[in-house]
Amino acid sequence: MNKTRSGFSRQLTLGALLLALALPPLQAQAQSDPVVLNFVNADIPSVIKAVGELTGKNFIIDPRVKGTVIITSAKPVPRSQVYPILLSALRMQGFSAIESRGVVKIVPEAEAKQNFSVTRGKQLSDSGDRIITQVYPLQHESAAQLMPVLRPLIGPNNTIAVLPSSNTLVITDYADNIRRLNAIIDAVDQPSANDTALIKLSHVSAVDLAQSLGRLMADGAAAAGQPGTSRLTIVPDMRSNSLLVRSDNPARIHTLRALVAGLDVPGAAGGNIHVVYLRNAEATKLAETLRGILSGEAPAAVSSVSISTTTPTTTQTTASSVSGAAGGSMILADPATNSLIISAPDVTYNSLRAVIDKLDARRAQVFVEALVVEITAEKAAEFGIQWQDLRNISESGTNFIGGTNLGGRGTGSNIIDAAANLTTLGQGLNIGVVSGTITIPGFGEVLNLGMLARALESDANANILSTPNLLTMDNEEAKIVVGQNVPFITGQYTTTTTPSPFQTIERRDVGLTLKVRPQVSEGGSVKLQIYQEISSLRPTTTAADVITDKRSIDSTVLVDDGRIIVIGGLISDTMQDGVDKVPVLGDIPLLGHLFRHEKRKRTKTNLMVFLRPHVLRDTASSDALTGERYDFIRQRQAEFRMQPHFALPDMQMDLLPELKTMTLPAPMSMPLPEPVNPPSP
């Protein structure tokens, strides 16, 4: 009997397959022609192939898709319903269809969520048993609280996730089931009349109370990340001294109102002393500003905020005592803990607390990259012939002597200096005619130098590139000096009792100096007060006549964040042409060169300064900049290696550790004491 049933089933399956394979010739008919489906215990891949012939779709079947399926229709169905019927049958067997770029992939349902699927927003138009992904942002309800409610309504092989920061649900499931979930979410995600509240305060500060309640009841961001916890957001409004509260749980708002009512009471007599710990501002300066507000007088905290270009370069500040009373209130600054101690009535303190919260904001930092390029080209030429005849100077009677004395004494080109000491001649070609020595009365013995010819041509080029970098806080001056500290004699005197002279010396910086004071605006632009100086020493023979060459720029510019600006350009081209000659004889063509000495010199200097500021508003920006510079130095250190030597020992430098694993040396890695400031909210 069982054999008969099995044979009969195989006959029905074979007949259904033959019917399906015979359908392609009928596709010439209109696509709206209905078809009769009769698949009984048919092999799933064969059924998919038959549906592909009917619908014109291309299928890719996973090798794990196996088994049989039963699809029967008592009446003809439109061809447009054949593919949805196949999806429903596959879903019952644990398989799903993934549509992608004109191809339908048939895979096990457990792996469907890992493949590409159609992604929709809040508005959904898809239906049927196809896998889709929906991103659903909620407006009123908490996504973290709603996810445990929706999770049992989704198949075990599909997923639902929550994004706490944007209060959004991400669901991957069948289209028909997602449409059902949308109906549930729409019914729940409705505005509540009690989700927002305004609590006015009469005695305590809204800023202080918001910080205390935030630590006690947890803020909205932390609560949203915990499933099953309602969101609570507390925002102080300093203008009206009120609290703005929002929660998806009316009971939490009611509890908060009771807490505020118990805390918003007048202070006890003599107990209106408050301590405010500052996070960013300086307590001493802020105390002066607050006392100026109470007294109505501008505080004389800083006399000038401009960059000083004199030496020594220090910004002079004058501040009054950090303690003082104004308008019946007392404001003290404690520099050790960077905190303010305020003794004032509640109304006055609440007003001051609002100002403190505004001024105690995190200040931006500015990283200034500077590029200083100086290119100098110097060319010089010298040619001259000098004569003299001193042979008869030691003879008695009347004798004739003479010569041409061209070029200044001590310049290395004068024939008289050369006769006295040949080592005084300057660089270049020096040719002379010497005939022994001769004694000059009152001077001594010198060379009998009858002729001196000099020729010199020099070509000197210099390319100086400096890249000083500065990191400073907003509206704070920063300075970098790269050079020498040179002593300059400012005075000297001697006394009859002390034969040794007494000198006074002042030391000055000679080299590259860059001073910058940045001021960041809200629009992202940076105002820079800049002082740039490049100085150098001229070669001298004595220490008392030190000469410096100085090029400086003092300017104020406005530049956008990350943009490059040029603040100065010095292009100088100097030419010098000098001739020393004998009158009349030096002007004779050709022969005149025997009676003259010529010098020519040309110096060309190009100096350009480029600046680029980067505004660092948070810790991530500072860490990225520090990591980039640290890795650059570490890479350069790794590239430098001493070549091995057969006799010298190997003295390689230890490589810097990676920035993420860098630790302090052992003596400095001891545990630090706990901070006296309370943790910030």
Side-chain angles (χ1 to χ4, degrees):
M1 184 68 178
N2 292 335
K3 294 182 179 180
T4 304
R5 290 183 178 179
S6 177
F8 182 71
S9 298
R10 286 195 297 270
Q11 291 178 2
L12 290 177
T13 302
L14 181 60
L17 291 176
L18 293 175
L19 175 61
L21 295 176
L23 290 176
L26 301 178
Q27 290 185 357
Q29 300 177 3
Q31 292 295 326
S32 60
D33 291 346
V35 295
V36 177
L37 302 178
N38 188 17
F39 299 99
V40 180
N41 292 329
D43 186 48
I44 292 179
S46 300
V47 175
I48 295 174
K49 180 179 180 181
V51 173
E53 295 291 342
L54 287 172
T55 60
K57 293 182 177 292
N58 300 319
F59 291 90
I60 298 178
I61 306 175
D62 191 284
R64 293 169 292 181
V65 178
K66 298 179 181 179
T68 59
V69 68
I70 300 176
I71 303 176
T72 60
S73 59
K75 296 181 181 180
V77 297
R79 296 196 180 199
S80 59
Q81 295 296 324
V82 174
Y83 178 64
I85 292 175
L86 174 65
L87 297 183
S88 300
L90 293 176
R91 178 180 178 182
M92 297 180 65
Q93 298 297 324
F95 304 113
S96 299
I98 305 299
E99 301 178 9
S100 173
R101 299 179 180 178
V103 177
V104 181
K105 294 185 293 184
I106 307 300
V107 297
E109 186 182 52
E111 298 185 4
K113 60 179 177 292
Q114 301 176 0
N115 290 267
F116 171 82
S117 60
V118 178
T119 304
R120 302 297 188 210
K122 190 173 182 179
Q123 302 298 327
L124 181 64
S125 59
D126 301 80
S127 61
D129 292 317
R130 64 182 67 185
I131 293 290
I132 65 171
T133 298
Q134 185 185 34
V135 180
Y136 198 107
L138 302 182
Q139 300 295 329
H140 308 283
E141 189 64 29
S142 170
Q145 287 186 301
L146 193 58
M147 186 180 70
V149 178
L150 301 178
R151 189 66 190 88
L153 305 179
I154 299 176
N157 293 325
N158 296 319
T159 62
I160 180 174
V162 61
L163 278 72
S165 59
S166 59
N167 199 35
T168 302
L169 292 172
V170 180
I171 308 172
T172 300
D173 202 357
Y174 293 98
D176 281 345
N177 194 38
I178 291 182
R179 295 178 70 89
R180 182 184 63 153
L181 297 177
N182 287 353
I184 297 175
I185 296 174
D186 291 341
V188 174
D189 189 29
Q190 298 293 330
S192 174
N194 298 323
D195 62 350
T196 303
L198 174 64
I199 305 177
K200 290 185 174 294
L201 303 177
S202 302
H203 305 284
V204 298
S205 169
V207 178
D208 291 341
L209 192 58
Q211 295 176 358
S212 302
L213 295 176
R215 291 194 296 267
L216 176 65
M217 307 186 69
D219 57 14
Q226 303 174 1
T229 305
S230 59
R231 295 182 298 125
L232 178 64
T233 304
I234 304 174
V235 179
D237 181 62
M238 294 171 288
R239 185 185 62 84
S240 61
N241 196 37
S242 305
L243 294 178
L244 298 175
V245 183
R246 180 176 180 180
S247 177
D248 48 15
N249 188 348
R252 301 200 72 188
I253 297 181
H254 180 74
T255 303
L256 188 65
R257 285 183 179 274
L259 288 175
V260 172
L263 295 174
D264 188 24
V265 295
N272 57 344
I273 300 178
H274 308 271
V275 178
V276 181
Y277 293 95
L278 303 179
R279 296 185 298 270
N280 303 285
E282 186 177 346
T284 304
K285 294 182 179 180
L286 188 55
E288 292 289 340
T289 302
L290 296 178
R291 283 198 296 271
I293 295 176
L294 295 180
S295 62
E297 298 178 359
V302 180
S303 59
S304 177
V305 297
S306 62
I307 294 180
S308 174
T309 58
T310 60
T311 304
T313 54
T314 56
T315 303
Q316 300 295 331
T317 61
T318 58
S320 60
S321 174
V322 296
S323 63
S329 303
M330 178 76 71
I331 303 175
L332 305 177
D334 183 20
T337 59
N338 195 38
S339 58
L340 296 174
I341 303 173
I342 303 176
S343 175
D346 292 338
V347 177
T348 304
Y349 171 74
N350 293 338
S351 301
L352 294 177
R353 191 63 182 87
V355 176
I356 294 172
D357 190 68
K358 290 290 186 181
L359 298 179
D360 189 29
R362 178 187 176 94
R363 297 171 63 183
Q365 299 185 94
V366 180
F367 178 73
V368 181
E369 293 180 292
L371 177 64
V372 183
V373 184
E374 182 177 5
I375 302 175
T376 303
E378 182 177 333
K379 294 183 179 182
E382 180 181 349
F383 180 78
I385 299 177
Q386 302 176 59
W387 305 86
Q388 71 177 2
D389 184 9
L390 304 176
R391 289 176 297 176
N392 300 327
I393 194 172
S394 61
E395 297 181 1
S396 61
T398 302
N399 300 302
F400 175 79
I401 63 172
T404 58
N405 178 12
L406 304 178
R409 297 292 300 274
T411 60
S413 62
N414 189 274
I415 192 172
I416 298 177
D417 293 338
N421 186 0
L422 286 177
T423 60
T424 61
L425 289 174
Q427 298 178 349
L429 177 63
N430 297 278
I431 301 176
V433 177
V434 181
S435 178
T437 61
I438 190 170
T439 301
I440 301 177
F443 186 81
E445 186 181 44
V446 298
L447 292 174
N448 188 10
L449 183 60
M451 186 270 292
L452 175 64
R454 277 184 47 79
L456 173 65
E457 183 175 352
S458 62
D459 189 353
N461 297 318
N463 186 357
I464 302 175
L465 176 64
S466 302
T467 58
N469 296 332
L470 289 173
L471 178 63
T472 181
M473 294 184 65
D474 181 22
N475 209 26
E476 293 290 341
E477 180 182 339
K479 173 184 177 182
I480 184 173
V481 178
V482 181
Q484 299 174 316
N485 191 256
V486 180
F488 289 82
I489 299 176
T490 59
Q492 59 182 356
Y493 67 91
T494 58
T495 62
T496 57
T497 58
T498 306
S500 300
F502 180 83
Q503 296 179 340
T504 58
I505 295 176
E506 177 184 357
R507 290 187 172 271
R508 299 178 184 176
D509 295 328
V510 176
L512 173 65
T513 302
L514 174 62
K515 290 187 287 186
V516 178
R517 182 189 294 273
Q519 184 177 357
V520 182
S521 65
E522 292 296 333
S525 58
V526 183
K527 179 183 178 182
L528 297 176
Q529 296 183 26
I530 306 161
Y531 179 74
Q532 173 80 49
E533 177 183 312
I534 300 177
S535 57
S536 59
L537 293 175
R538 284 191 179 181
T540 57
T541 57
T542 62
D545 57 349
V546 178
I547 301 176
T548 59
D549 293 328
K550 177 180 176 181
R551 296 167 299 280
S552 64
I553 300 172
D554 190 355
S555 177
T556 302
V557 297
L558 187 66
V559 58
D560 292 336
D561 180 18
R563 307 294 295 181
I564 300 177
I565 190 172
V566 57
I567 63 169
L570 172 63
I571 302 177
S572 63
D573 194 352
T574 305
M575 297 183 64
Q576 297 178 359
D577 188 6
V579 179
D580 294 337
K581 62 182 178 179
V582 177
V584 181
L585 295 179
D587 296 328
I588 300 175
L590 298 179
L591 294 178
H593 291 287
L594 300 176
F595 302 97
R596 62 184 178 185
H597 184 271
E598 298 179 84
K599 287 184 179 180
R600 292 181 180 179
K601 184 178 180 181
R602 180 178 182 181
T603 304
K604 188 174 183 179
T605 302
N606 294 335
L607 174 63
M608 303 293 289
V609 180
F610 301 89
L611 290 177
R612 176 167 62 182
H614 298 275
V615 180
L616 309 178
R617 299 185 182 274
D618 50 22
T619 305
S621 302
S622 302
D623 292 344
L625 177 65
T626 303
E628 179 185 352
R629 296 300 188 268
Y630 187 86
D631 293 341
F632 174 79
I633 296 299
R634 190 170 183 271
Q635 181 180 0
R636 290 297 178 268
Q637 185 188 26
E639 293 175 354
F640 177 76
R641 284 289 183 269
M642 293 183 180
Q643 296 298 328
H645 196 274
F646 72 96
L648 299 178
D650 187 11
M651 295 182 294
Q652 300 292 349
M653 183 183 296
D654 294 336
L655 190 64
L656 291 173
E658 294 186 2
L659 188 60
K660 296 181 180 179
T661 60
M662 184 177 63
T663 57
L664 295 176
M668 299 180 61
S669 59
M670 62 181 64
L672 298 177
E674 293 294 332
V676 296
N677 292 7
S680 58

